[in-house]
Amino acid sequence: MRSNLTSLDWVELGRSIAKLAGARLISTAVAIVVGSWLPCHAAELAIHPLGEFTFIDVSGDFEKGDASLFAERTANVPKAIVALRSDGGSLLAGISIGETIRSRGFATLVPANSRCASACALAWLGGTPRFMAASAQVGFHAAYDSSSGNETGVGNAILGAYVNKLGLSYSAVIYITQASPASMTWLSAEDAKKNDIEVKLLEPSKTSSALAPSQADPSHSPSSLRAKVSEFVRLLFTVWSGPNDKVAAVLPRLYGAHVLFYGRDLSDNEVVADKMKSINRWPQRLYKMREGSLTVECNEAVGSCKASGIVDWMVRSPARNAQGSGSSSFEYTFEMRDGPLRITAEGGSVISRLPTTAIR
């Protein structure tokens, strides 16, 4: 179903968005939570009625079950704009949320200084129309298998069918899936026009009066190396949470020839051996990077980046009838010289840890 809102409706909605930007919203946020044996940060949804319109704020990682709850919570909303801020998550959740947005004629928005990448960007595509602040970032990459981190043809087929269903061109399908799972294609005004992806860019100085198209400020474009490292770290914890055989297959490709590993100078083979001891001791693992904790600083001149943040984790060993959980800081140094990213230093420390207990 196409949106039945007039141009005057959208101008009025633009004024409402401006009010939101200048005032602190007070509303009960409805957390979308799915069952898991690891406390995690699933997508959160807050609904703010604004007279004739409703402002729907969606943030956090997209997970299985989020799509049905989004559909349920917005079932009686007639006119809305959905603001999206997320680094991604479940492909199917992002597509399903996008389909709900499209079927109800909702608009979508990536607010100023916000990022909507991966599955989030797919949900954003469902908007009619799509809004994007000049300082916002919208990123796409190919679908991947969360257990291995490898690109998946089936996932790309589903993604392509969805994009085509939205009425976008084959050029758009190719553009959206061209980046590898460990990389990102960041949408620019020029690329959007070239690939027939309709976007209304919000002019920062005129948001209060209209939704005027403008060219995105190049100074806000993310560093390509920084973007790659950010995605690499996110995928790293996804892989680390997978089956042992998948982790074992990927580990040798993650590290440089020599690694400063928690203060010790080790070869890549020694690091892999140390990691294998850990995964064999705890064959069931879930690692979740804490929302908003990731910091990446890069020196593109030498192809080096440092990434740090916090990860929440839970580990299990059915054979030993044991489990544990906690939170840790992490620090990685990445280098990319004439080849793929490699970890050349790794460190961190435990922030909190619950005593190891028997599996119940």
Side-chain angles (χ1 to χ4, degrees):
M1 179 179 70
R2 301 291 294 181
S3 171
N4 59 359
L5 302 184
T6 67
S7 58
L8 290 177
D9 288 333
W10 290 120
V11 170
E12 181 59 33
L13 184 53
R15 295 192 179 102
S16 298
I17 295 171
K19 292 178 183 177
L20 287 173
R24 181 178 179 180
L25 293 172
I26 301 176
S27 178
T28 303
V30 182
I32 300 179
V33 181
V34 295
S36 170
W37 54 277
L38 174 69
C40 60
H41 304 279
E44 293 187 353
L45 182 150
I47 298 177
H48 309 281
L50 292 172
E52 185 180 358
F53 298 99
T54 298
F55 186 86
I56 301 172
D57 190 16
V58 179
S59 61
D61 291 348
F62 289 12
E63 298 188 354
K64 183 180 179 181
D66 287 356
S68 60
L69 286 175
F70 177 87
E72 177 186 337
R73 300 294 184 182
T74 62
N76 297 318
V77 176
K79 299 178 181 179
I81 187 164
V82 182
L84 295 152
R85 293 169 295 150
S86 169
D87 284 333
S90 166
L91 168 74
L92 295 181
I95 288 176
S96 295
I97 290 173
E99 288 176 336
T100 298
I101 288 171
R102 175 54 62 95
S103 69
R104 293 177 183 168
F106 293 166
T108 51
L109 163 72
V110 182
N113 302 314
S114 299
R115 182 168 63 190
C116 178
S118 190
C120 176
L122 298 181
W124 173 80
L125 284 174
T128 49
R130 309 176 189 97
F131 294 117
M132 175 181 173
S135 60
Q137 301 169 4
V138 176
F140 301 99
H141 62 63
Y144 66 92
D145 183 342
S146 60
S147 64
S148 67
N150 295 328
E151 189 169 334
T152 166
V154 173
N156 281 332
I158 295 172
L159 192 164
Y162 164 69
V163 172
N164 191 251
K165 181 180 178 181
L166 294 179
L168 297 178
S169 65
Y170 288 113
S171 172
V173 175
I174 294 171
Y175 176 80
I176 288 166
T177 59
Q178 68 182 354
S180 70
S183 184
M184 191 75 72
T185 296
W186 296 100
L187 184 67
S188 66
E190 182 181 354
D191 287 347
K193 184 176 181 180
K194 186 186 301 182
N195 294 284
D196 299 321
I197 301 173
E198 294 184 9
V199 181
K200 294 182 181 294
L201 291 176
L202 303 185
E203 174 66 49
S205 62
K206 300 178 181 178
T207 304
S208 60
S209 61
L211 303 179
S214 69
Q215 293 296 319
D217 184 351
S219 66
H220 293 291
S221 297
S223 158
S224 59
L225 183 56
R226 181 179 178 276
K228 288 180 180 179
V229 168
S230 298
E231 186 69 4
F232 190 108
V233 173
R234 190 175 71 83
L235 289 175
L236 185 64
F237 291 120
T238 299
V239 171
W240 193 242
S241 301
N244 284 12
D245 60 336
K246 300 294 185 182
V247 179
V250 173
L251 272 176
R253 305 200 299 269
L254 299 180
Y255 293 89
H258 298 281
V259 185
L260 182 60
F261 189 70
Y262 294 89
R264 299 179 294 161
D265 288 313
L266 301 180
S267 69
D268 55 346
N269 290 333
E270 289 174 319
V271 172
V272 170
D274 188 283
K275 291 287 189 179
M276 289 303 299
K277 287 181 182 178
S278 178
I279 69 171
N280 288 329
R281 178 173 173 76
W282 299 106
Q284 295 180 2
R285 303 163 306 280
L286 281 179
Y287 285 76
K288 189 74 172 180
M289 187 166 60
R290 190 169 296 180
E291 181 75 18
S293 72
L294 180 63
T295 299
V296 179
E297 297 179 354
C298 295
N299 183 339
E300 295 208 26
V302 298
S304 177
C305 293
K306 290 186 177 181
S308 61
I310 298 174
V311 61
D312 300 309
W313 49 268
M314 177 174 276
V315 293
R316 279 183 169 188
S317 174
R320 294 186 293 116
N321 192 35
Q323 65 181 4
S325 62
S327 301
S328 300
S329 64
F330 62 83
E331 298 175 357
Y332 293 106
T333 298
F334 295 88
E335 292 186 5
M336 184 176 68
R337 296 190 181 95
D338 301 322
L341 281 172
R342 290 287 187 266
I343 300 171
T344 56
E346 179 176 339
S349 60
V350 174
I351 298 173
S352 63
R353 174 189 288 152
L354 294 178
T356 302
T357 61
I359 297 174
R360 297 179 179 178

